[in-house]
Amino acid sequence: MKPNLADILEREPENLRKLTVRKTFLPGEFIVRKGESAKRVYIMLKGSTRVSNEFISGQRYTFATLKAGQVIGDLEVLAHQPVYSATNEAVTSCEVLAMSDDTFIQWFRQDSDFAFIVAEQLAEKMYPTSDENGRIKFQPSLERLCQYLIKRLGSVQADLFVLHTSRQQIADDIGTSVKTVNRGVAKLKARGLIRLVHGKITMDKEQQKQLREAAEAME
């Protein structure tokens, strides 16, 4: 039977239990930041985080979210990297089980079920990154914006869709600048694919349909 992380945490080895501690991070607090020394590993117990990368240009790209049961810092420690490769920011109040890199390695070696779950999660994290990074990097910014809006629409069937997301967050999520997002929004508005109401992007049912068709034509 596939090991369950909740059960594994319940049977945490006694010699390691005293070396781990529960901590709480409030929304907006950073659990780890890119470039900081990777000396701690965190297991998410409650809440969710936003995983992002900041670049020298000042742009930030949000590429994943983590939730309860997932691990922060495992990649860096197992790859023997000295610093965290990405930033993890609490989106909601997050409770984590924190430990040193040495304690994590001890647990990894001591409990094969724990090691299996960590390895499986690493594979789940790395596959989409490997599969999509090249495509996203070379995808035109307007196409990225369209795909982002379609993703946010999801299966919504509302007569009027309103996007309550700041331009900065949109820029972070698609890996570009606010200036580029604003240009894309202006182009979509000029084509009648969206409307702006008090600065917020809105789409009626017909615009939602037309945006999906426009995005398909870009592919």
Side-chain angles (χ1 to χ4, degrees):
M1 189 172 75
K2 182 178 177 180
N4 179 284
L5 186 59
D7 292 337
I8 290 171
L9 292 176
E10 283 294 322
R11 65 170 195 261
E12 180 183 354
E14 195 58 41
N15 64 316
L16 301 179
R17 190 178 297 276
K18 61 185 178 182
L19 301 177
T20 61
V21 61
R22 291 183 181 238
K23 297 184 66 176
T24 299
F25 292 87
L26 299 177
E29 289 188 326
F30 295 104
I31 299 174
V32 303
R33 297 195 71 166
K34 179 179 179 178
E36 290 180 341
S37 179
K39 288 295 184 182
R40 306 286 289 174
V41 174
Y42 303 87
I43 298 176
M44 295 282 295
L45 302 177
K46 294 179 182 177
S48 64
T49 74
R50 177 185 299 118
V51 189
S52 61
N53 247 318
E54 300 100 6
F55 301 96
I56 294 174
S57 64
Q59 293 181 15
R60 184 171 64 174
Y61 173 45
T62 301
F63 60 89
T65 58
L66 295 185
K67 57 186 179 180
Q70 295 183 289
V71 186
I72 299 169
D74 47 351
L75 174 63
E76 290 82 357
V77 171
L78 290 173
H80 305 291
Q81 296 302 307
V83 298
Y84 294 113
S85 62
T87 293
N88 256 275
E89 177 186 356
V91 175
T92 64
S93 181
C94 294
E95 185 180 341
V96 303
L97 186 68
M99 67 198 78
S100 70
D101 51 351
D102 288 338
T103 299
F104 172 73
I105 290 295
Q106 278 185 261
W107 197 348
F108 189 87
R109 288 174 171 165
Q110 194 169 325
D111 188 331
S112 60
D113 283 343
F114 179 68
F116 177 84
I117 284 181
V118 170
E120 188 174 51
Q121 285 192 17
L122 282 173
E124 289 174 355
K125 289 177 189 175
M126 297 306 297
Y127 181 79
T129 301
S130 187
D131 183 48
E132 294 177 9
N133 265 0
R135 178 171 56 81
I136 290 172
K137 182 177 180 181
F138 295 105
Q139 196 177 39
S141 57
L142 184 60
E143 185 177 342
R144 273 185 275 171
L145 177 59
C146 286
Q147 293 296 342
Y148 173 83
L149 292 175
I150 289 169
K151 185 176 180 181
R152 292 300 301 271
L153 277 170
S155 57
V156 170
Q157 298 295 323
D159 291 337
L160 182 67
F161 172 81
V162 182
L163 182 66
H164 297 281
T165 304
S166 71
R167 300 291 171 83
Q168 180 63 66
Q169 187 58 57
I170 295 172
D172 291 348
D173 288 345
I174 67 175
T176 188
S177 66
V178 173
K179 186 176 180 180
T180 299
V181 169
N182 286 336
R183 282 201 301 264
V185 167
K187 288 178 182 178
L188 295 179
K189 181 175 180 289
R191 292 171 59 178
L193 297 175
I194 63 171
R195 290 192 184 91
L196 297 179
V197 177
H198 302 302
K200 291 183 172 61
I201 296 171
T202 70
M203 286 175 275
D204 59 28
K205 275 192 173 181
E206 182 59 27
Q207 287 172 319
Q208 294 170 37
K209 177 175 176 290
Q210 289 176 354
L211 183 70
R212 295 182 196 278
E213 292 172 351
E216 288 178 4
M218 291 179 187
E219 295 179 353

